[in-house]
Structure formats: structure tokens, C-alpha cells
Amino acid sequence: MTNNKQLITGTTKLLGVIGYPVKHSLSPVMHNAVLAQLGLDYVYLPFPIEPQNLSIAIQGFGAINVEGFSVTIPHKQAILPLLSEIEPIAQAVGAVNTVSRKDNKWVGTNTDVEGFLAPLQATYNQDWSQKVVVILGNGGAARAVVAGCTQLGFAEIHVVGRNIQNLQQFRSSWDNSPLAVDIHIHTWDSLPKLIAQANLLVNTTPIGMHPNIGESPLSLEDMAKLPPTAIAYDLIYIPKPTKFLQQAQHVGAIAIDGLEMLVQQGAAALKIWLQQQTIPVDVMGQALRAKLGINS
Ligand code: NAP
């Protein structure tokens, strides 16, 4: 158990998460657990901010000396013009999930890429340059996955979506990116053929997320086409494991769920806000698992 008791005083510094809605966010649980463990005079709060109030809210954060904040749906792209500085990784991804205050200016970055890569590199930290990744979905999270896989130097990056216009927009959105992103786009009917080549298969769609726990983006028959030693990575963290990951384990693939990504992107944000390199990541994971009623 972690010590979650924090004493808020006149000197307590403010962190938080902006989104709309934000009431289901797990970030306050994991961040407050680790802040309490570190004995720091900080508190991390949920801030439900409707889209039309975003600009005034950010001005207000400056006025009340908020130290930094996480950004979630629907503000991850809308916040960009309100920031003084945007780190190259966030420019590349086209979305900001972490904002910090530097010299009274707001600086945006994106820690989802680091969060996505951490469990993957912990599982397999070798050369990816001969490997193929197949990414299911072309939404916001897929952007961090494409950026991460580009950083790892994958030989081929395939993105599979259900809407060809969205896919084409997704591909062209990387045209001016500082990352040399080179992706192949496909509709779902190409999936069986692609899976047979995939060393890494990533689900970035919400298919299989609670409460639709009986769903998977693909059939067991298609999952069985994965090559031996392939890794299946689901960004979803509730349930744990998803049906997608159960199928992957059934066919002998290595499974990675989204919980560690959630923890690691949060830990990367805390490193920026607290200006300290060592964050007790296990405390964050424990707090999340306790909140979600997960034993493992
Ligand atoms: P998003 O921007 O709405 O993108 C969702 C993508 O999935 C879109 O490309 C959408 O296709 C596709 N999709 C949705 N329903 C589908 C269906 N029934 N069949 C086929 N494709 C479908 O959402 P997001 O922000 O990327 O989040 C996606 C998932 O990742 C969520 O489950 C979220 O919880 C998870 N996530 C986890 C973490 C973590 O830290 N573990 C971080 C971020 C996100 P269209 O483009 O055609 O609409």
C-alpha cells in the first residue's frame, strides 16, 4: 500500500490534468500517490475545462502559478497555439500531453512516445531495423506509436484504418514532420496478409476497451498468422488483459498492455515538472492497479 495522505498547506504547489470530461482520469491517483511517497509539497488536481474555455483557463493557470499540467482529450491539439514553446517531439507528433512552466511561459511536450517505448524496450531492447510493425488505428494515440516506431528505426511501418480519407490525411500529416516518417497505409481487408509479416502488432483502436471486453480488432484466425516471437501491444489498459492480448498469448506471442505506457508517460511528465530524474514508477503502477482492482 502507498501512503496517500497529503497535507495541503499555503505553500502547496499545483499540478493537474485538463480535459473534458476529466472525471474518469486515472492521472490524479497515480500522480498524488507518487507525490505523497516522495514527501513533496505538491497536489495534482483534475480540471474539467470545456473547449470554449481553454484559452481563459490557461491564462488563469498562469495567474495562480500552476507549475505544470497534463493534457487529455479534447485539448491535445487545441492547446498548441496557446503555448510559448513546443518541444520537437510534440511538434512531430502534432499533439501535446504535458505542459510545464519555464520563465513564466508555457512549454508543451509529448511524453506518450516515451511512455509507449519504455515497456517495448524493456521487453525487447535490440535492433528493430529489420523489423515490421503493423499499427491498428490512425487516431491520436497512433501518432505517438508512429513517432516511437520511427525513432526505433523500423524497416516498415504499416498503419491500418477503416476510413481511407482519414488514413490519407494521417499519412500526409507527417509530410512536414521533423521526423523522417515513412508509413504505408491500408484498409482492414489487408490485415490478414500484413499480420503474417508483423514482428510488432499494436492496437491503438478502442476496440475491446471496457465495457466491450468481449471484442477484439481481429479474429483468432488472423492473430494465428503472427510470426513466432512477435509482440502484440494493446494501448488499452482496462481490462487487463484485453481479448486482443488473450488471443495473442493463445498463439504464443509476447503481450504488452497499456498500463505501463500510462505509468511511464506520467513518470516522464513528473521528471519535467519536478526536475528530477528518478521517479518511483512502481508506486504509480501500484496506485493504478489498486484503483482498478488489478492483482498482477
Ligand atoms: P482516437 O483519436 O479516437 O482514435 C481511435 C482510432 O481507432 C481511430 O483511428 C478510429 O478510426 C479507430 N477506431 C475506433 N473505433 C473503431 C472500430 N470500431 N473499428 C475500427 N477502427 C476504429 O483515440 P486515441 O486517443 O487514439 O485512443 C485510442 C485508444 O488508445 C483508447 O483505447 C485509449 O484509451 C488508448 N490510449 C492509451 C494510452 C496509454 O497510455 N496506455 C494513451 C493514449 C491512448 P477512424 O479514424 O476511422 O475514426
Side-chain angles (χ1 to χ4, degrees):
M1 284 295 288
T2 52
N3 174 12
N4 259 336
K5 291 201 175 64
Q6 280 171 284
L7 190 62
I8 296 176
T9 69
T11 57
T12 302
K13 297 190 182 86
L14 286 177
L15 297 169
V17 52
I18 65 165
Y20 197 79
V22 83
K23 65 182 174 194
H24 299 297
S25 172
L26 294 167
S27 295
V29 167
M30 67 173 182
H31 283 108
N32 285 316
V34 77
L35 291 166
Q37 172 79 23
L38 290 167
L40 295 173
D41 191 13
Y42 280 84
V43 66
Y44 183 104
L45 298 171
F47 294 110
I49 294 169
E50 291 187 49
Q52 71 273 18
N53 294 333
L54 182 61
S55 173
I56 193 139
I58 303 309
Q59 281 178 45
F61 278 7
I64 61 169
N65 287 333
V66 169
E67 296 277 317
F69 54 95
S70 313
V71 184
T72 188
I73 292 168
H75 304 313
K76 282 185 166 189
Q77 280 154 345
I79 189 119
L80 269 80
L82 304 176
L83 304 172
S84 304
E85 216 178 290
I86 299 163
E87 298 285 349
I89 189 66
Q91 275 171 12
V93 174
V96 160
N97 80 330
T98 301
V99 176
S100 57
R101 215 182 53 209
K102 196 167 93 184
D103 303 330
N104 282 327
K105 289 181 177 153
W106 295 119
V107 180
T109 191
N110 191 304
T111 65
D112 280 335
V113 180
E114 189 175 335
F116 165 70
L117 289 177
L120 187 59
Q121 291 178 300
T123 305
Y124 179 89
N125 191 14
Q126 292 174 42
D127 181 16
W128 297 92
S129 65
Q130 306 299 316
K131 307 289 186 194
V132 173
V133 55
V134 174
I135 300 165
L136 308 178
N138 50 268
R143 304 193 67 79
V145 174
V146 165
C149 290
T150 300
Q151 284 185 351
L152 290 181
F154 270 87
E156 292 176 32
I157 300 177
H158 298 273
V159 177
V160 181
R162 61 181 171 176
N163 179 311
I164 191 66
Q165 269 107 24
N166 289 358
L167 277 166
Q168 283 164 344
Q169 272 173 17
F170 185 85
R171 183 174 55 191
S172 57
S173 71
W174 297 98
D175 285 351
N176 298 319
S177 164
L179 286 174
V181 171
D182 181 17
I183 56 173
H184 307 267
I185 54 171
H186 311 266
T187 46
W188 283 90
D189 47 325
S190 309
L191 193 55
K193 184 175 72 207
L194 286 169
I195 285 192
Q197 309 163 37
N199 304 105
L200 173 64
L201 175 66
V202 189
N203 178 33
T204 78
T205 78
I207 304 170
M209 185 166 72
H210 179 82
N212 303 315
I213 60 172
E215 295 177 8
S216 168
L218 72 171
S219 65
L220 182 59
E221 190 190 349
D222 283 342
M223 188 68 92
K225 298 188 173 83
L226 271 180
T229 74
I231 298 173
Y233 191 155
D234 200 338
L235 266 49
I236 295 172
Y237 42 86
I238 315 172
K240 181 178 153 70
T242 54
K243 183 164 184 200
F244 171 83
L245 290 185
Q246 289 173 26
Q247 291 171 324
Q249 283 167 324
H250 185 77
V251 303
I254 298 163
I256 302 178
D257 64 60
L259 199 72
E260 192 62 15
M261 172 173 170
L262 184 66
V263 169
Q264 294 285 349
Q265 60 79 28
L270 275 171
K271 283 183 197 167
I272 298 169
W273 297 324
L274 304 178
Q275 293 288 301
Q276 77 177 51
Q277 281 311 303
T278 318
I279 302 291
V281 175
D282 51 330
V283 173
M284 301 173 82
Q286 276 164 22
L288 278 186
R289 279 190 287 275
K291 171 77 181 164
L292 298 171
I294 298 167
N295 297 321
S296 60

